[in-house]
Amino acid sequence: MQLQKENILIVDDDVNILELLQRHLQSWNYHIYKAVSVKEAVTILRDTNIDLLITDLKMPEIDGLELIKFVSEHYPTLPKLVVTGYPSAQDSLTSIKSRVVAYLTKPFTKDELKVAINKSLLISKTKYQKKVKLLKKVNDTYGEIIGSSEKINDVVQIIERVKNNKATIFIKGESGTGKELVARAIHYQGKFARAPFVAVNCGGIPENLLESELFGYLKGSFTGAETNRDGFFQAANGGTIFLDEIGNASLAVQSRLLRVLQEKEVVKVGASKAESIDVRIIAATNSNLRDMIQKQTFREDLFYRLTVVEIHVPPLRERKEDIPLLVDKFLLKYGVEYKERFVKVTTEAMEILNRYDWPGNIRELENVIQRAVIMCENIIEIEHLPEHIKYTLDFSSEKLLSLKEIEKQYIQKVLRATGNNKTKAAEILKIDRKTIRQKLSE
């Protein structure tokens, strides 16, 4: 008995090429997904765990290079194999920069295709195994959730309780705290992990399109509806749909969502007949839905349907003991992404990272570490941190200090932030070097 191999997505506007590739790949027992356009490919990538992308470059509307760039940004570990009938030096260069691991020119033989696929998958597995080995250095992980603080442990305990049932879950928290990571952990750590997980940003889809995107539509139901199309709910059938920024949904969409929760069925736009659906709904927002209920912009009955189980994801300022673990995670991530550029953080720089309040939460911390990895040579020092973080002071301590002590601490912090550069420190403090020397001697 042959075991099913990896999932491979092939993208080409030439149906004959798609069929040829499909025959070859199926003869080697791969599981095949096909797309005739970049838009269709992106939909498949979002709904399916793909192990290898094979794509043409020259396609109408959006070309294959745009797909490659999209995959490099959103699925950095996914190997990419380019198959094209119109090779060019520029395309090759762009492909290499986007970490394409193999490049085939049409016409090609079956053996050439097999070699290219084996090479692509082997490189991917080697990188993955290396990454897994490195990730073992980062302790206290639950799926993609990293932390050992009491507040993050509370979140993990709730996930453990709900992961194996399909109760509706509401996740609340500030922007950048990792609400989608919590939703993914609920899905992928439980017994429904092999079913689809579909994430929908309700704030990222225009209001007039959200309804048809969620529930699907029939041909002719509105201008531009040229075919029947399933929505995100149908794509998530049997699994989990994550509705991020649910507060952005219109009252009309809210009404339809209420029906899904009450009747376990959806009605496509333009249809009269309902379709049964088996989907776990996880909703999230950084808005205050209770305030929206008072303003009559969010349905109270929907709110109570959504909040069967509530999970509060704490802001980073309330779990600062997790910052070193998160920093390790991002150093590893960008060390791998930027070709083995593994760097360290000085004690002084880490102290500043620990003291900052992170209004943008984990997303802001990741951006800061990514920038620092790019800017430094081998070690992240204070000078590689953004200005607004370097010069942030924390006066929230309950201990009351004299003005002289506060002045002393501030001068010391500015000197640390400037790498003990007294000239630069004097400019920031609006005093001269002589005054700094005098105060240091005091």
Side-chain angles (χ1 to χ4, degrees), residues 44 119 124 164 274 318 358 374:
I44 293 171
K119 175 186 174 183
S124 175
N164 289 325
E318 294 180 6
W358 301 104
I374 293 170

Side-chain angles (χ1 to χ4, degrees), residues 168-187:
T168 304
I169 298 164
F170 180 70
I171 304 173
K172 58 183 179 180
E174 296 176 8
S175 179
T177 51
K179 296 187 290 296
E180 184 171 341
L181 290 183
V182 172
R184 289 183 179 276
I186 292 168
H187 179 79

Side-chain angles (χ1 to χ4, degrees), residues 204-328:
I205 301 174
E207 184 177 323
N208 61 328
L209 294 179
L210 182 58
E211 192 172 6
S212 59
E213 289 294 310
L214 283 174
F215 308 109
Y217 53 82
L218 295 185
K219 180 179 179 181
S221 55
F222 55 86
T223 303
E226 298 177 354
T227 60
N228 294 341
R229 181 176 172 181
D230 287 341
F232 290 124
F233 269 96
Q234 289 91 342
N237 198 19
T240 303
I241 188 167
F242 174 55
L243 303 174
D244 198 8
E245 297 309 330
I246 189 67
N248 290 89
S250 67
L251 289 171
V253 171
Q254 291 176 37
S255 178
R256 280 179 168 264
L257 285 173
L258 187 62
R259 176 170 182 167
V260 175
L261 286 163
Q262 289 175 333
E263 309 296 336
K264 306 297 181 184
E265 60 184 26
V266 296
V267 180
K268 289 181 177 179
V269 175
S272 56
K273 185 179 178 181
E275 303 174 40
S276 296
I277 202 87
D278 175 26
V279 174
R280 170 171 49 192
I281 297 176
I282 303 177
T285 186
N286 59 15
S287 304
N288 188 325
L289 294 188
R290 292 187 184 277
D291 285 348
M292 294 180 67
I293 291 170
Q294 292 296 319
K295 296 173 184 176
Q296 297 186 339
T297 57
F298 200 86
R299 295 182 61 125
E300 187 173 16
D301 48 3
L302 177 60
F303 173 78
Y304 289 115
R305 285 280 184 178
L306 288 174
T307 54
V308 175
V309 177
E310 286 192 54
I311 301 176
H312 172 65
V313 185
L316 191 52
R317 63 181 174 276
E318 294 180 6
R319 45 176 292 217
K320 287 193 172 183
E321 58 266 51
D322 293 333
I323 289 175
L325 289 171
L326 289 162
V327 169
D328 283 346

Side-chain angles (χ1 to χ4, degrees), residues 383-399:
E383 65 187 81
H384 301 120
L385 302 179
E387 299 293 311
H388 70 281
I389 292 179
K390 285 193 289 189
Y391 305 131
T392 297
L393 286 175
D394 180 10
F395 289 116
S396 61
S397 171
E398 292 181 3
K399 183 181 177 182

Side-chain angles (χ1 to χ4, degrees), residues 10 12-23 36 106:
I10 48 179
D12 201 310
D13 62 317
D14 187 332
V15 177
N16 293 326
I17 294 294
L18 279 181
E19 291 179 354
L20 174 66
L21 288 170
Q22 182 177 13
R23 284 199 303 272
V36 295
K106 304 172 187 175

